[in-house]
Amino acid sequence: MPGKMAMVDFNKCNPASCANGVCAAAQACPRKLLVQENPREPPMTNPALCRACGDCVRACPHNAISIMQF
Ligand code: SF4
Ligand code: SF4
């Protein structure tokens, strides 16, 4: 069954430039699916539970997140 999920482009993601190294996209996800284990690290997504709402896409100042179809 086709679905959609958020993907992080690690070439664009620059957590050091986000406020205090905290991922704005991770904070924006209503389901808390983007997990940033430590400040200044890129977030990891959870494709199984992502609902492709796009909140994380809009929150990222570097356009590092996109919604992919699979
Ligand atoms: S995904 Fe975007 S908001 Fe999150 S750490 Fe990377 S650049 Fe910052
Ligand atoms: S698209 Fe929505 S549900 Fe999926 S990771 Fe981003 S904010 Fe969370």
Side-chain angles (χ1 to χ4, degrees), residues 3-13 23 25-26 33-34 43-47 50-70:
K4 293 180 180 177
M5 65 181 201
M7 295 274 293
V8 180
D9 182 337
F10 296 107
N11 291 318
K12 290 184 180 174
C13 176
C23 176
L33 298 182
L34 287 165
M44 295 295 158
T45 60
N46 185 334
C50 177
R51 290 297 173 265
C53 67
D55 285 356
C56 57
V57 176
R58 288 183 285 275
C60 175
H62 293 286
N63 292 324
I65 305 184
S66 51
I67 303 294
M68 303 288 289
Q69 219 152 7
F70 61 92

Side-chain angles (χ1 to χ4, degrees), residues 16-31:
S17 75
C18 291
N20 297 318
V22 174
C23 176
Q27 293 192 310
C29 177
R31 294 168 173 259

